[in-house]
Amino acid sequence: MVLYALIAGVLIGLFYGFAALGLSLAFGVLRVVNIAHGDVIVLGSYLAYELSTQAHINPLFAIPIAVPLAVAIGMVFYRFVAPSLGRSKDPEMLSLILFFGVSQVIEALATIGFSVNQDTLLTGPVGNASVQIFGQSFPNYYPVAAAVAVPGALLVMFYLYRSRLGLATRALMSSRADAMLSGIDVGRTSALSFGIALALAASAGALSIYVNGGVSPSQGTDLTTTAFAVVVIGGLGNPAGALAGGLVFGLAEQFAQSYEPNWAGMVPYVLLLAVMLVKPEGLLSRRVRYA
């Protein structure tokens, strides 16, 4: 039982970290509190659902379709709302209110388009066969979710630490004013970062439909709550911390389900409160965010 909980916790924890990466990136670069993050994940799940049921295409192909689409939408949307955020005395609070409204709109549109019922896929991304890992049997979407999450997270890290745009992004994380003085195109970099954040959320949706047993319009709130818990545990605005927070969250959840299933839904959030009391800045302190 310990081995199963440990492996399952790591596999699902990697998915949780990947699902929270976009939220962490948006806050770290833009100080945007994206309450609609979970709803974007839901849209990614519905894209995977439609590809599977209508076009009979593997739902994982939703990821390469969603990425450029989400980046484009995110960049245009950010260009539209950035002036208002820039004029605000409290952009974080304004963004919270703004994206709360966006969340409600997305949920309403999803309800109109897909009804309030939960939609599920009958087969996993690679069929219904289970997977054996160290003698333990897991649903095939466990390792698939981890196999997508790990390279996805590595690509984000490569972008942040090995590309010119990533260097500009990290400069914004450190100091927006200094980035402007150094000649960085703050508007373009910010818009691209927000687009990437949405693309990460939409990509996670192609996996979320399996991990959460289906998709429904009202699922966004729970997904946002989980993502916020993960990034707070790991460290707000720190993409690497999102992965660490995801692993901690996943392990806590799986061990609770194995030994105290009645408390499984509460244990990760009790852990969140403990981390906030002992280390409010998260497991990985904000000092790692500086370029």
Side-chain angles (χ1 to χ4, degrees):
M1 186 175 292
V2 173
L3 183 59
Y4 180 91
L6 180 62
I7 297 173
V10 169
L11 295 176
I12 294 300
L14 288 170
F15 163 75
Y16 286 147
F18 180 66
L21 262 179
L23 183 65
S24 182
L25 182 64
F27 184 84
V29 178
L30 313 171
R31 298 299 186 270
V32 166
V33 185
N34 185 6
I35 294 296
H37 179 80
D39 298 279
V40 178
I41 295 177
V42 167
L43 291 179
S45 293
Y46 275 121
L47 176 59
Y49 177 79
E50 288 297 302
L51 284 179
S52 178
T53 58
Q54 303 300 324
H56 305 291
I57 297 174
N58 190 307
L60 293 182
F61 281 101
I63 295 176
I65 295 174
V67 167
L69 186 61
V71 169
I73 293 174
M75 292 184 70
V76 171
F77 182 80
Y78 183 79
R79 290 288 191 178
F80 179 74
V81 303
S84 297
L85 292 176
R87 290 192 300 268
S88 174
K89 294 181 179 180
D90 190 351
E92 292 180 17
M93 180 57 68
L94 178 61
S95 69
L96 189 151
I97 297 171
L98 170 67
F99 284 104
F100 175 77
V102 171
S103 171
Q104 297 304 302
V105 170
I106 292 176
E107 182 175 340
L109 292 175
T111 300
I112 293 171
F114 299 97
S115 83
V116 297
N117 299 322
Q118 178 169 281
D119 293 310
T120 59
L121 293 175
L122 298 178
T123 61
V126 288
N128 287 326
S130 60
V131 176
Q132 296 290 321
I133 303 176
F134 294 113
Q136 305 293 316
S137 180
F138 300 91
N140 65 49
Y141 61 79
Y142 273 48
V144 169
V148 173
V150 170
L154 290 176
L155 283 174
V156 173
M157 296 303 170
F158 180 86
Y159 164 75
L160 288 174
Y161 291 94
R162 291 291 185 270
S163 70
R164 292 179 62 85
L165 281 174
L167 180 61
T169 301
R170 291 169 60 215
L172 284 178
M173 286 182 171
S174 179
S175 171
R176 194 175 188 87
D178 289 345
M180 293 178 66
L181 291 174
S182 65
I184 292 174
D185 188 336
V186 172
R188 185 188 68 168
T189 305
S190 297
L192 179 61
S193 296
F194 185 69
I196 292 173
L198 292 191
L200 289 167
S203 298
L207 304 170
S208 174
I209 193 171
Y210 297 108
V211 174
N212 292 295
V215 58
S216 66
S218 61
Q219 204 174 62
T221 300
D222 290 339
L223 289 167
T224 299
T225 301
T226 299
F228 265 107
V230 167
V231 298
V232 169
I233 290 173
L236 274 171
N238 180 4
L243 290 180
L247 287 172
V248 172
F249 192 95
L251 287 167
E253 178 186 73
Q254 290 300 315
F255 273 99
Q257 287 181 356
S258 296
Y259 292 98
E260 293 292 341
N262 292 331
W263 297 82
M266 186 182 71
V267 168
Y269 296 99
V270 172
L271 180 62
L272 166 65
L273 293 175
V275 170
M276 291 183 67
L277 290 172
V278 176
K279 200 172 182 0
E281 69 275 20
L283 296 178
L284 298 185
S285 62
R286 296 180 68 179
R287 62 183 174 83
V288 302
R289 288 178 49 230
Y290 293 97

